[in-house]
Amino acid sequence: MRNLTQEILELIRRTSTDLPNDVETRLRAAVEKEAPGSAARGALETIVKNIELSRKNSTPLCQDTGTPIFYVHYPEGMSTRALKKQIREAMAEATRRSYMRPNAVDAIYDKNSGNNLGGDEFPYIHFDEVDADQPLTIELMLKGGGCENVGIQYSLPNSQLGAGRDLKGVRKVVLDAVQKAQGQGCAPGILGVAIGGDRGSSYYASKEVLFSKMGTRNEDPQLAELEERLTDEANQMGIGPMGFGGETTVLDTKITGLHRLPASYFVSVSYMCWAYRRRKMTVSGEEVIYD
Amino acid sequence: MREITIPISDETIRSLKVGEPVTLTGVMMTGRDAVHKWMIDTFIKQTRQPQGDDLEVYAAIKPLLDHGVIYHCGPVVAGLDTKEYKFVAAGPTTSIREEPYQADVMKHFNARGVIGKGGMGPKTLAGCQEVPFVYFHAIGGAASYIAQSVQKVLGVYKLDFGVPEAMWVIEVKEFPVVVTMDSHGGSQHAVIDEKSRKVFEELLAKA
């Protein structure tokens, strides 16, 4: 098997220093919606300048280079152990080169490992097998701690919010999550919402859904409608960029549904900050393509 | 835009009002979760005995923080091997985690400004009026942009806390911020929270 450490290092560099085009386009459009001279507009203008500068200098968009979340789709027969080793080597090298901040802290002893490697779970790597004739794809998301901290999980029904076990109830708790988050998650944010599952699978799904492009709607029309409605209503709250007040609080909402136990009805909300860092590399034969 | 130089006088602090964009120039220090906890436990509540270089570090940072500024930031730093440190990415981290500590830390060290993001709560706001100090909001995530205003890394304390959690002493020039909590009880964050809550309640009432 080919050694892809250098190519994975390049994936990490691109993810940390250059925002995907679809995200940048939305942020640029958001600038125009804010009043000239407002703090909200100033914040978005700074954000756009920062995107340009990070790309030009190959420096991290945000100093919190986040939790590295890898989703690997490997052709049948490829060694996941070898891939894991290469990903971990690339991560340590990316940290040496300052594309990543040393971000793995032992929770019991408060010790930073210094190289973004910690135990078996840091970085987080998820493997899925595909047919042997399919290309290898590696997706990476870097999710900062500020936005991760405002993520929240509800167990429905929630009597305080009058939220029952249906999509009406889902709407109420998601809006609650946005109101509670204020600017803390580096608004304008992107909402990943999972309905159902157990507590663990629900949270994972709420992040997985964030791998899709901006504006990707759920195939189920009622969920697609709820996605649009939540973005619109979240923006009516006027929290605005950085919580300064303004027109754009949420750039997009993505919802996914999971099977649940009869007893449980979880709604998990993962809040992604404006520095929505996700990239994908595809390896077919000798060719490596970055999207 | 008004340019504020560090150390900051009480008169200047009292003149700053919520909503005002300013730039900061001078020497400041980064400090976040581990630093605030260390300050409180070791020197303010004194529930922990000073150990290792604690007392030396305390003596070194005291004059820096007198009328100075604490920046909630865990930077990406190049030159760790050679000790020729350079800030590569240095945006603010979420400040609210320091809410239990901030007012006491500012009072103890006689500091005049906190830089962070997301704003802070009532205990800090009361401290702003008493000490006095203000909360400067930097743009979250704008790390490459903000790193440009860091002219020089003058030194580092408690690097054993880890790169993001250490106290980095930095010289900044025209560091861009907005005052979102002032020393007269004004908080932009409290205002936006209240307004958004009203809209939220109206939305809840809808089917």
Side-chain angles (χ1 to χ4, degrees), chain A:
Chain A
M1 187 185 136
R2 179 176 169 194
N3 188 326
L4 290 164
T5 308
Q6 287 307 311
E7 287 75 11
I8 298 166
L9 174 63
E10 174 61 9
L11 175 72
I12 299 169
R13 186 194 70 80
R14 285 182 188 229
T15 312
S16 180
T17 65
D18 192 5
L19 217 51
N21 194 266
D22 58 315
V23 181
E24 186 176 343
T25 305
R26 290 274 176 128
L27 286 165
R28 285 182 185 273
V31 176
E32 300 309 320
K33 291 183 190 156
E34 302 294 347
S38 64
R41 193 176 174 111
L44 287 168
E45 284 170 347
T46 301
I47 285 169
V48 169
K49 277 186 212 157
N50 184 63
I51 294 168
E52 291 168 353
L53 198 66
S54 304
R55 182 186 299 130
K56 189 175 136 231
N57 295 344
S58 219
T59 50
L61 282 149
C62 179
Q63 78 291 335
D64 185 358
T65 53
T67 305
I69 304 168
F70 287 92
Y71 272 70
V72 182
H73 299 264
Y74 65 99
E76 189 182 344
M78 195 176 269
S79 164
T80 56
R81 276 184 304 173
L83 282 168
K84 187 174 180 179
K85 191 164 171 274
Q86 292 169 19
I87 287 173
R88 291 174 69 89
E89 276 171 14
M91 187 51 69
E93 182 57 26
T95 311
R96 270 192 292 275
R97 296 194 190 186
S98 303
Y99 301 141
M100 296 290 291
R101 181 178 76 179
N103 243 8
V105 181
D106 183 308
I108 310 303
Y109 297 100
D110 263 346
K111 188 84 192 150
N112 192 315
S113 73
N115 61 1
N116 264 311
L117 304 179
D120 228 24
E121 302 76 29
F122 204 112
Y124 177 76
I125 310 172
H126 175 90
F127 287 104
D128 259 329
E129 187 176 298
V130 295
D131 287 341
D133 61 353
Q134 292 296 302
L136 165 73
T137 62
I138 304 179
E139 290 180 280
L140 171 60
M141 186 188 300
L142 298 175
K143 191 168 187 301
C147 67
E148 184 68 1
N149 286 350
V150 298
I152 185 168
Q153 189 170 66
Y154 298 87
S155 176
L156 268 49
N158 179 312
S159 51
Q160 204 191 339
L161 296 167
R165 292 182 155 195
D166 52 25
L167 293 184
K168 285 181 184 168
V170 171
R171 169 182 165 265
K172 288 181 178 177
V173 297
V174 174
L175 290 174
D176 181 60
V178 175
Q179 202 282 330
K180 281 203 174 90
Q182 291 290 302
Q184 312 278 356
C186 275
I190 299 92
L191 306 175
V193 180
I195 306 167
D198 67 4
R199 287 191 183 272
S201 63
S202 189
Y203 260 135
Y204 276 124
S206 71
K207 287 184 186 169
E208 251 175 67
V209 77
L210 291 168
F211 274 112
S212 66
K213 285 211 159 105
M214 297 289 256
T216 309
R217 293 281 71 89
N218 194 296
E219 284 175 14
D220 182 334
Q222 57 176 344
L223 291 183
E225 192 191 329
L226 184 57
E227 288 173 334
E228 300 272 0
R229 183 175 180 186
L230 280 169
T231 301
D232 178 54
E233 291 185 334
N235 287 332
Q236 287 177 31
M237 285 195 265
I239 295 162
M242 289 298 126
F244 286 170
E247 301 301 317
T248 307
T249 304
V250 166
L251 293 168
D252 202 6
T253 306
K254 296 152 189 285
I255 304 177
T256 186
L258 301 170
H259 283 69
R260 60 178 177 84
L261 294 186
S264 303
Y265 196 114
F266 295 114
V267 179
S268 306
V269 182
S270 277
Y271 192 108
M272 175 59 90
C273 59
W274 70 258
Y276 182 10
R277 289 156 286 173
R278 54 161 164 73
R279 290 274 168 187
K280 182 180 180 180
M281 67 183 263
T282 307
V283 186
S284 338
E286 285 303 301
E287 196 183 22
V288 180
I289 301 161
Y290 298 95
D291 76 346

Side-chain angles (χ1 to χ4, degrees), chain B residues 52-83:
Chain B
D53 64 353
D54 282 353
L55 291 171
E56 287 160 56
V57 173
Y58 180 73
I61 63 172
K62 256 203 133 206
L64 276 171
L65 290 178
D66 189 14
H67 288 77
V69 173
I70 298 179
Y71 180 22
H72 295 158
C73 170
V76 178
V77 185
L80 292 170
D81 302 340
T82 57
K83 296 192 176 176

Side-chain angles (χ1 to χ4, degrees), chain B residues 84-105:
Chain B
E84 284 171 26
Y85 302 120
K86 186 174 186 301
F87 272 28
V88 177
T93 191
T94 310
S95 300
I96 196 70
R97 297 189 303 270
E98 315 318 332
E99 178 64 10
Y101 317 125
Q102 200 68 58
D104 296 333
V105 165

